[in-house]
Amino acid sequence: MRIDKFAAEQTGISRADAKAMIKKRQIIVNGEPVKSGEVHIDPENDDIVIGGKHIDYREHLYIMLNKPAGTVCAVKDELSPTVVELIPPELRRKGLFPAGRLDKDTEGFVFITDDGALAHKMLSPRSHVEKEYEVTLEKPAEKGYAAVFEAGVTIDGGEKCLPAKIIFTDDERVVRLIICEGKYHQVKRMMEAVGNRVTFLKRVRIGGIPLDPDLPLGQCREILHKEVLNIYAKQ
C-alpha cells in the first residue's frame, strides 16, 4: 500500500496533507523519514509514525458513541451537528458513517464504522440484530402491551412490525423495548399504536453489545474486533 493512501485511510487526512507532511519529514517508516508519497509499505508489519503518533493498522474501525440529543445520525448536515463530528481526532479516519439511525432527540448507542459489508448485514432484517431501548412514557405502561408487541403490532400507515419484547421496570412509566428492525420512528409509533406516547428514548444495546455505562454523553470509544463479533448475539 502507498504511504499517502495509508495515511489518508488511517488518519482521515487528505493525500495532499500527507504529501505536505512528508515534505516536513513528519511521516516516519521503520525509523526513517519517508521521501515520497509513492513509497509502498507493509501496513501490518512496518512501524509507522505520522505526525509524531504511532499508527496501528486496522482494516476497519468500529466505534461506540453515546449520542446526545440534538445531534443527527449523518456524516454531514447543514443545520445540525452530526454524530461523526463528535469523533475525536485520534479515532477519525476516511469513510466513517453511522450504521443505522437514531432520531435527533433520541440518546444512546450509535454504531459508527467504515465497514460497509458489516453494516449492511447488521442492518438487514434477515439478521434479526436486536436493538434495546429504554423508553419513558407519558402514561403508565399496561401489562397488555406485552402480548400486542409479541404478536407484531400494526403501526400507523398499516405497517406490521416484527414481534418485539417489552420488559417492565419498577417505574411504571419506564420500560425496556427490544426490536429487531428499524422502521422510521418505530418505537414512538409502536407506543402510539397502544395509546401511549414516548417522552424520552435511549438505545442501550445493539445485538450482544451493551452501551458502556461509563461512557458519557457525547463521548465515544473504539469497539475491539473481538467485541464486534458479539453484534449478532442475542440476549
Side-chain angles (χ1 to χ4, degrees):
M1 181 186 295
R2 285 175 46 141
I3 185 61
D4 56 355
K5 181 176 186 292
F6 173 88
E9 289 183 353
Q10 297 294 307
T11 68
I13 65 174
S14 67
R15 288 202 185 188
D17 290 336
K19 290 177 181 178
M21 294 182 74
I22 289 171
K23 288 183 179 180
K24 296 177 182 178
R25 301 171 65 87
Q26 294 177 337
I27 297 183
I28 313 295
V29 176
N30 298 327
E32 297 292 333
V34 173
K35 297 179 180 179
S36 168
E38 297 180 1
V39 169
H40 280 72
I41 61 165
D42 180 347
E44 295 187 5
N45 296 302
D46 287 339
D47 181 64
I48 303 165
V49 177
I50 299 177
K53 178 185 176 183
H54 280 272
I55 305 298
D56 294 322
Y57 173 71
R58 287 158 294 183
E59 182 179 5
H60 294 295
L61 189 62
Y62 308 98
I63 295 172
M64 173 188 294
L65 170 71
N66 190 359
K67 176 189 173 299
T71 54
V72 295
C73 285
V75 175
K76 294 181 180 180
D77 190 272
E78 296 181 357
L79 301 177
S80 303
T82 72
V83 293
V84 172
E85 291 169 359
L86 294 175
I87 299 172
E90 61 268 21
L91 285 178
R92 288 181 187 171
R93 64 190 291 179
K94 184 179 179 181
L96 289 173
F97 64 92
R101 294 180 177 273
L102 287 180
D103 298 339
K104 185 176 180 179
D105 61 350
T106 299
E107 296 182 0
F109 188 178
V110 174
F111 187 89
I112 298 175
T113 185
D114 59 351
D115 188 342
L118 182 139
H120 177 75
K121 182 179 179 181
M122 182 187 88
L123 296 172
S124 171
R126 295 180 180 179
S127 296
H128 293 280
V129 172
E130 295 180 346
K131 292 93 175 177
E132 182 174 346
Y133 296 83
E134 175 188 307
V135 189
T136 302
L137 299 169
E138 184 177 63
K139 299 183 293 186
E142 300 177 11
K143 296 299 182 182
Y145 292 176
V148 175
F149 289 155
E150 286 175 6
V153 66
T154 299
I155 54 181
D156 61 296
E159 290 184 84
K160 182 72 176 290
C161 296
L162 293 174
K165 181 179 180 181
I166 189 169
I167 301 171
F168 299 95
T169 72
D170 293 336
D171 186 332
E172 60 184 3
R173 283 185 167 82
V174 178
V175 298
R176 294 290 185 104
L177 186 65
I178 301 171
I179 62 177
C180 57
E181 55 188 338
K183 298 182 185 296
Y184 180 69
H185 292 324
Q186 182 171 344
V187 173
K188 295 175 182 178
R189 294 163 70 195
M190 289 174 69
M191 289 303 177
E192 289 172 358
V194 292
N196 215 324
R197 190 176 74 86
V198 174
T199 59
F200 175 77
L201 187 60
K202 179 178 182 178
R203 185 156 63 195
V204 296
R205 178 172 63 86
I206 299 177
I209 306 178
L211 176 65
D212 188 336
D214 296 324
L215 190 63
L217 271 176
Q219 300 295 308
C220 61
R221 72 163 177 84
E222 184 175 357
I223 302 174
L224 301 179
H225 187 265
K226 62 182 180 180
E227 291 182 272
V228 173
L229 299 178
N230 293 327
I231 201 75
Y232 303 109
K234 295 184 181 295
Q235 293 193 346

